Amino acid sequence: MKQNRILSLVLALVMAVSTLVAGTYVSAEESLYKDVKTTRWSYEDIKYVTENGLMTGTGEGIFAPAETMTRAMVVTVLYRLQGSPEVKYTAIFSDVKDGTWYTDAVIWAANSEIVNGVGDRKFAPM
C-alpha cells in the first residue's frame, strides 16, 4: 500500500515537471527581430503585422518598436492592407521619387484620396 502511494507521488511529480518543461519549451520562441524580445508587451502584435506582410521592420533584423512611424510607413501599411494594388508612377509629389520602398504606397494613397501633401507639391514621407 505504501509503495502505491510512493509510486503515485512520483508519477504526479514527473507529470508536473514535464508540464513545466513543455511550457518552458513552447515559450522559448525566438524573436523575429534583434530589438524585440518575445517578452515585450507588443511582441504578439509585432509578430502579427510581420507574419501578415503589413510591416517588415526597418532593416537588417531591426523593427525599431520605439520609433515614430513616418508618413511613408503609414501609407505603406494601408497600401499592404489593400493587397498592394498595381499603380503607375506619376510624379505627384516632388519628394517622392520613383523606385523607393514607399513610392507605390504614396501614389496609391494620394490617388485614393487617403492622403494629401503638405504643400508646395511635397508629401514629406520621412
Side-chain angles (χ1 to χ4, degrees):
M1 189 81 150
K2 190 175 183 176
Q3 287 178 335
N4 286 344
R5 282 187 174 179
I6 292 172
L7 182 59
S8 295
L9 181 62
V10 169
L11 287 173
L13 184 60
V14 167
M15 287 174 53
V17 169
S18 67
T19 302
L20 291 173
V21 170
T24 302
Y25 177 74
V26 169
S27 65
E29 177 180 358
E30 186 175 323
S31 181
L32 299 169
Y33 300 97
K34 297 176 204 172
D35 61 341
V36 179
K37 293 181 181 181
T38 58
T39 56
R40 181 182 172 83
W41 66 270
S42 58
Y43 179 74
E44 288 301 318
D45 300 314
I46 292 169
K47 183 178 170 182
Y48 176 85
V49 298
T50 300
E51 288 176 349
N52 288 282
L54 302 176
M55 296 178 157
T56 60
T58 59
E60 298 188 33
I62 303 295
F63 189 81
E67 297 296 318
T68 302
M69 283 185 75
T70 64
R71 289 170 54 88
M73 290 175 180
V74 171
V75 297
T76 299
V77 170
L78 295 173
Y79 174 68
R80 289 175 180 166
L81 273 169
Q82 290 300 308
S84 302
E86 186 176 338
V87 297
K88 293 186 181 186
Y89 179 76
T90 53
I92 299 170
F93 302 109
S94 62
D95 58 349
V96 176
K97 305 296 180 206
D98 188 19
T100 68
W101 59 268
Y102 54 85
T103 301
D104 287 350
V106 172
I107 293 167
W108 167 82
N111 288 335
S112 301
E113 298 181 353
I114 294 171
V115 296
N116 293 316
V118 296
D120 196 29
R121 290 193 59 240
K122 296 201 183 292
F123 179 73
M126 302 296 165

